[in-house]
Amino acid sequence: MNVKHNLQELTNIATRLRLHVVDMVAPSGQGYVQQGLGAADIFTTLYFAEATMDTANPSWPDRDRIFLTTAHNTAIFYATLAERGFFDVEDLATYVTDGSSLEINSSERMGSFVEATCGSLGQGLSVAVGCALAAKRQGRASRFYVILGDGEMQEGQVWEAAMYAGAQRLDNLCVIVDYNFVQSEGPMNLVMSLEPVMHKMESFGFACQEVDGNDIESLLSAYDLARETKGKPSFIKANTLMGKGVASLEGLMFHQLRFPPEVAASARAELEAQL
Amino acid sequence: MNETLTQLEAADFINRSFKRLPRAYGDALVEAAKVDPRIVALCADLVPPTETDLFRDELPERFHNVGIAEANMIGMAGGMARCGEIPFCHSFCAFITKRVFDQITMQAAYPNLPVKIVGFLPGVTTLLGVTHQAIEDVAIMRSVPNMAIFEPSGPEYHATMVKLALDWNGPVYLRMKRPETTPADFTPQKLEIGKGVLRREGSDITIISAGLCVGESMTAADTLAKEGIETRVVDMASIKPIDQTLILESAARTGAIVTAENHNIIGGLGSAVAEVLVEEGIGLPFKRVGVMDQFCEGGTTSYLMKKFGLDATAIVLAVRQVLEKKE
């Protein structure tokens, strides 16, 4: 069930996911293109290399669980789930249309591969901590991955959950913060800086690593190290570039980007050239 | 194969695609703040969506984007109010009520401080889905002592909401909906605390409504008029304190009442109206239109209003059912 790929394969998967993101958001302009492009490598490595799951039985109790707590980053999330085999790739075309379960904010009404409904920011880590505690009690080998937003870490509940995870030495928990440095109102340091976030998480009892969140090999090594770390939960600060893979969008500072057809066509052409 | 754009070209296309929405509430808040130096604005990282961008730009020393941290925002607002300021706190309805309910009760309502809680995205009206939908907010906020609740039926009333919030000497919840278009030519009636607005006169039945459902009720009344049913329509913009006099007078005059709200049928406007009637010993044909005690989903507003039975069609149906019982 755990499908290991070589680097070239994973790179191609990431590009395919990015193309889906562009195609999904282009028709309505609704969705988070830059965030999806930026997080594509995190999703690729977690779902196609690191986590053990069973697409035929998504609620398999011994699965690894991935919580997307920035639940608005759904274009990349749904593209990943579909390519991983949880539902048909054709369904991606219904993204953000009336009546489709592929909503902007992911909801567990889609199926148990949405591990919790997390669009109200700051709640997901607590749920993951609860699952991780239960798994320890039940003697399961499952691991729990949380894709957290950097802006989301301003919510107090995140720190309550982190404090408990550290105190409980939850080494089956791995928090990956998608550190793209942009929140709704702009760059994080202009709103409320998180820094020094590594020191903060260290002091909460986490084993911390900082990686290039758009470097597949670095992400895989970070997960390896996290898995080998005993007696502490792991925190991976994955620095990502919003718009990664589409030069015309890389680093543009929009949280809610509009996606005019001209820009979408250009993005698609750039990505296709990379396949 | 398409030509690819440079970053500058892409940014230009993107910048030109942003649509400017009207900002009657936000403009009125700035106007009031320029007159009253006690007014400050707080926002939990949703500045344009809560119309506070002008405040941020014009009165930066009295504006705080507190980050994605609503609980802290309400607590700080309590502190500011204790020190003589009038804080207006902004986020989406779901987050600024449900998420911080305990902080609201203890740091704003119990000390009866002028903390003004301003939410956007009322009820079902958002693509953003169940996490961002507030179908319970009126029910819980109505249960808080000292709290007043006002909901405008359209952008024409947005500026007045600032005045009502200031007129109430205590905590207030404003349930706002961002206008998608410029208001039509429409002369708003005067809004007062504890008063409903009579939007249409009729003798067969009364529809008591608030917010987005007022427009739907007016459309429903037009449809019903063609069937010879004369409908009185009340805009209950002051949900708490509610206009008891107008409710009782409507009951006496029309003998049947339908309520319509963009909220769960439990605990909201319909419940408030029923409480008034029952406490006066009035039994009459009555029905609540609203979300039927279920969670919703994201979608366009018109789609959701239809799917969850909040539109004019649903109101017409409810009126017909109630009138069958009246005879």
Side-chain angles (χ1 to χ4, degrees), chain A residues 28-49:
Chain A
S28 69
Q30 297 283 357
Y32 297 85
V33 181
Q34 280 180 295
Q35 290 90 331
L37 297 172
D41 302 300
I42 295 176
F43 280 85
T44 300
T45 49
L46 274 180
Y47 278 88
F48 291 89

Side-chain angles (χ1 to χ4, degrees), chain A residues 193-214:
Chain A
S193 173
L194 272 181
E195 293 303 334
V197 72
M198 297 285 282
H199 291 151
K200 285 175 181 161
M201 292 303 286
E202 263 163 29
S203 71
F204 275 55
F206 279 69
C208 297
Q209 308 177 57
E210 181 167 7
V211 300
D212 177 347
N214 293 120

Side-chain angles (χ1 to χ4, degrees), chain A residues 36-74:
Chain A
L37 297 172
D41 302 300
I42 295 176
F43 280 85
T44 300
T45 49
L46 274 180
Y47 278 88
F48 291 89
E50 176 64 12
T52 305
M53 349 177 116
D54 180 0
T55 52
N57 181 16
S59 50
W60 176 45
D62 287 311
R63 70 190 181 278
D64 292 341
R65 298 190 194 212
I66 301 172
F67 293 82
L68 174 66
T69 68
T70 46
H72 58 274
N73 203 1
T74 39

Side-chain angles (χ1 to χ4, degrees), chain A residues 137-176:
Chain A
R137 220 168 1 251
Q138 293 162 7
R140 296 187 199 279
S142 308
R143 290 186 58 75
F144 299 87
Y145 298 90
V146 179
I147 305 174
L148 197 66
D150 47 5
E152 183 181 17
M153 291 187 77
Q154 293 169 344
E155 290 282 10
Q157 187 179 349
V158 170
W159 299 94
E160 296 173 23
M163 207 181 305
Y164 202 70
Q168 294 283 319
R169 305 161 64 87
L170 270 183
D171 52 17
N172 54 353
L173 177 73
C174 179
V175 176
I176 301 126

